[in-house]
């Protein structure tokens, strides 16, 4: 007789801190190239991990273009109340929406998120933007695109395409929001679950 155990599959690291840094550097340069510079550029991070990624991208853009004040082009866009799946998820507190001083009207807004999956978070972000102003262009940059889209949404800038099964979970861990089991800051992307 054979016994099959359903032991949990250990999480596997798919991006290290150095990999994340390289991906963000590439995305920053892609954003500058697509925009033909930094003029009218606004980066809006979607909480929770999209915002620290937006801050990191703004710093990389400022390093590449010394006319840019990184703090002046970054903001945070909370989409909690615009989600269509609130009744299916546990409650979570909304984060404050903070726009750059110049606002978003007639700007090139790049939405920043950690993982693109179904597309529902980005749909909610687009709805939230309509309430705040009228950008000239809206683009999307994500660290990970894992597929499984439920809506016709595509990222303009992707750190890594990561094909996954629906049973797997992609976790982005950033020093600004996460710590290891030992309590140390951690920067990595892991896949949990699956077979």
């Amino acid at each position: 007789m054979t016994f099959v155990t359903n032991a949990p599959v250990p999480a596997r690291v798919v991006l290290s801190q150095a990999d994340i840094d390289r991906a963000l550097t590439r995305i920053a340069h892609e954003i500058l190239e697509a925009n033909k510079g930094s003029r009218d550029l606004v980066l809006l991070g979607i909480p929770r991990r999209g915002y620290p990624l937006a801050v990191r991208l703004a710093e990389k853009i400022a390093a590449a273009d010394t006319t840019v004040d990184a703090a002046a082009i970054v903001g945070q866009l909370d989409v909690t109340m615009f989600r269509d799946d609130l009744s299916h998820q546990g409650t979570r507190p909304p984060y404050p929406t903070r726009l750059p001083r110049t606002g978003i009207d007639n700007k090139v807004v790049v939405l920043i998120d950690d993982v693109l999956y179904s597309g529902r978070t980005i749909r909610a972000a687009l709805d939230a933007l309509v309430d705040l102003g009228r950008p000239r262009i809206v683009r999307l940059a994500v660290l990970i695109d894992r597929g499984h889209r439920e809506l016709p949404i595509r990222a303009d800038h992707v750190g890594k395409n990561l094909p996954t099964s629906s049973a797997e979970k992609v976790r982005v861990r950033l020093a600004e929001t996460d710590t290891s089991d030992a309590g140390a800051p951690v920067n990595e992307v892991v896949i949990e679950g699956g077979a």
Side-chain angles (χ1 to χ4, degrees):
M1 180 179 269
T2 304
F3 291 96
V4 177
T5 60
N6 288 339
V9 176
R12 63 185 197 277
V13 176
V14 291
L15 288 180
S16 67
Q17 179 172 339
D19 297 327
I20 292 170
D21 189 58
R22 275 191 299 277
L24 292 177
T25 299
R26 184 173 34 78
I27 290 171
H29 287 279
E30 286 177 5
I31 290 170
L32 285 170
E33 185 176 336
N35 196 50
K36 296 179 176 46
S38 59
R39 185 176 176 168
D40 294 330
L41 191 60
V42 171
L43 306 180
L44 290 182
I46 299 171
R48 196 162 111 124
R49 289 167 187 84
Y51 177 69
L53 290 172
V55 170
R56 292 183 189 189
L57 280 169
E59 290 168 356
K60 290 183 178 298
I61 287 169
D65 181 345
T66 57
T67 66
V68 173
D69 175 4
I73 67 167
V74 72
Q76 177 170 276
L77 179 66
D78 182 68
V79 302
T80 304
M81 300 314 294
F82 294 89
R83 295 192 63 94
D84 64 0
D85 58 358
L86 280 176
S87 62
H88 302 352
Q89 294 187 352
T91 59
R92 59 177 153 181
Y95 289 82
T97 290
R98 293 186 297 262
L99 297 180
R101 183 183 49 77
T102 58
I104 62 169
D105 286 332
N106 207 32
K107 302 290 185 187
V108 177
V109 173
V110 182
L111 296 172
I112 314 291
D113 205 4
D114 57 346
V115 178
L116 179 57
Y117 183 42
S118 68
R120 294 188 180 279
T121 298
I122 304 309
R123 187 215 48 85
L126 293 169
D127 286 349
L129 275 179
V130 171
D131 278 3
L132 298 171
R134 190 174 190 281
R136 185 170 78 244
I137 298 172
V138 178
R139 293 192 175 113
L140 174 61
V142 296
L143 181 60
I144 301 294
D145 184 343
R146 65 172 291 190
H148 303 284
R149 216 74 74 241
E150 296 172 5
L151 299 171
I153 290 176
R154 177 187 59 84
D156 299 285
H157 311 287
V158 177
K160 183 168 182 69
N161 287 295
L162 194 60
T164 58
S165 79
S166 296
E168 294 172 315
K169 292 184 188 253
V170 175
R171 303 270 189 222
V172 175
R173 299 177 181 167
L174 302 175
E176 297 90 339
T177 57
D178 303 285
T179 57
S180 68
D181 293 337
V186 62
N187 286 288
E188 63 187 6
V189 178
V190 299
I191 295 180
E192 299 172 345

